Amino acid sequence: MQVDLRTPWWIGAVRIPTRLVLAPMAGVSVQAFRRQGRRFGAGLVCSEMVSCAGIEHRNERTLGYLRVGSDEHPLAIQIFGSEPATMAEAARMVEAAGADIVDINFGCPVKKVTKTGAGATLLEDPARAVGIVRAVAEAVDIPVSVKMRRGLENGSRACLDIGPRLEEAGAASLTLHPRSARQMYTGDADHTLTAELVERVEVPVVASGDVTSRARAQAVLATTGAAAVMVGRGAQGNPWALREILGEDGAGPSREEVAAELVLFVRETVRELGERRASSFLKKFYGWYLGRGRFPRPFKQELVQLATTEDVELRLLAAAPGAAELLERLEAELPTGDEILLDMPISIYGGG
């Protein structure tokens, strides 16, 4: 049976207009990425994870303001840490920043995070994990969601034991990426675990992992009973994948469409991060956008070596002259409105 991913669902009192969630990804999920995801049909977008210790001590290099734009809602801001009181205070701050949902990271497998007792480590410390969720849920009026892996080790079923306890502590939704922390991103996501989790809890479950096409999304939803699917790496430099998953447009983009979207992404990222940071940050995106046979392989290397983002724009528009008209139309359609700016350190660690 086909599931209509364009139907709404709810996390607590927050209405999510489609059953497609854009994953929180460190070093990727800047505002430009989230806004693009919303334009292409993601019902919920998520920030990259934010360090609660950095918020508390103000001792991390501030990488920029966390911006919440009017066109991002509904938006989840993801936090990570290991102390309930610190997490609760961070949750209050992200609620003040305009988030619709506060998401807690119990999934990050990166050693810099797990060695502090945060991320996926908390799946093996259920009492602390429950304490964190309870403290956060009591601190804010917006819904609390939790993103987790199956556990630390291959074959772990920790997520199934802890899931109902997190729900009882106040989680309004759970996202499961059914790989172990040890697996990182290798092997296959075992969505039989997702199906088991759905059976054990009453709150909506989001299925994450290996959702790269409409057929795969439909298969995961049909076999697990999950409320929605989460797309991560498949959307990097490829927002058209979101439309394909929703069933709106199965055709790939033209070269002009790719160039126009990339130039817009470059401009929005420069606006957010500034030229110096954006110039370095964007380099990985060139390969993501220009791959899949869209442009000759040497073209990506040419862009990476250019000195400024303005040079990149000029080269892209020269390579696809028809992109200029599309770009003008895209920029005209961007909503204008006030942003809420929250001065907080953004994590440079890897996401889960």
Side-chain angles (χ1 to χ4, degrees), residues 255-260 295 299 314-325:
R255 180 173 290 192
E256 288 73 22
E257 288 174 312
V258 172
F295 282 79
F299 188 60
L314 292 172
R315 185 66 188 92
L316 282 165
L317 295 176
E325 183 179 346

Side-chain angles (χ1 to χ4, degrees), residues 67-273:
R67 292 173 165 87
V68 178
S70 60
D71 56 331
E72 293 190 74
H73 300 288
L75 166 71
I77 293 180
Q78 188 182 81
I79 57 177
F80 80 97
S82 59
E83 295 300 327
T86 305
M87 293 283 275
E89 181 57 29
R92 293 187 191 98
M93 293 182 69
V94 297
E95 181 180 32
D100 301 288
I101 296 164
V102 56
D103 187 62
I104 301 174
N105 184 302
F106 287 171
C108 181
V110 176
K111 189 173 182 181
K112 286 182 180 179
V113 173
T114 57
K115 72 179 184 181
T116 69
T121 302
L122 286 160
L123 297 172
E124 307 295 337
D125 190 353
R128 183 178 292 271
V130 167
I132 288 171
V133 171
R134 180 172 290 115
V136 170
E138 291 175 352
V140 297
D141 293 325
I142 58 177
V144 175
S145 61
V146 179
K147 185 170 187 282
M148 56 184 177
R149 288 194 171 226
R150 67 181 300 163
L152 286 179
E153 300 298 329
N154 296 341
S156 172
R157 294 171 59 85
C159 61
L160 301 181
D161 296 327
I162 202 171
R165 297 181 63 181
L166 300 181
E167 176 185 18
E168 184 179 356
S173 178
L174 300 172
T175 297
L176 178 61
H177 181 166
R179 284 184 172 91
S180 68
R182 182 179 292 277
Q183 276 183 278
M184 299 291 284
Y185 297 98
T186 63
D188 297 322
D190 181 4
H191 282 294
T192 62
L193 286 174
T194 310
E196 289 190 61
L197 181 63
V198 169
E199 289 295 319
R200 295 188 182 206
V201 298
E202 297 296 326
V203 296
V205 173
V206 180
S208 174
D210 300 344
V211 179
T212 56
S213 67
R214 177 169 174 77
R216 183 59 179 156
Q218 289 289 347
V220 168
L221 289 172
T223 57
T224 65
V229 291
M230 177 174 281
V231 177
R233 289 172 290 165
Q236 292 174 348
N238 192 30
W240 300 274
L242 303 179
R243 286 184 178 166
E244 189 273 332
I245 289 171
L246 289 171
E248 295 179 1
D249 185 5
S254 67
R255 180 173 290 192
E256 288 73 22
E257 288 174 312
V258 172
E261 284 291 344
L262 179 50
V263 171
L264 179 63
F265 187 81
V266 168
R267 290 181 179 179
E268 289 288 289
T269 303
V270 170
R271 179 187 65 82
E272 181 179 356
L273 303 181

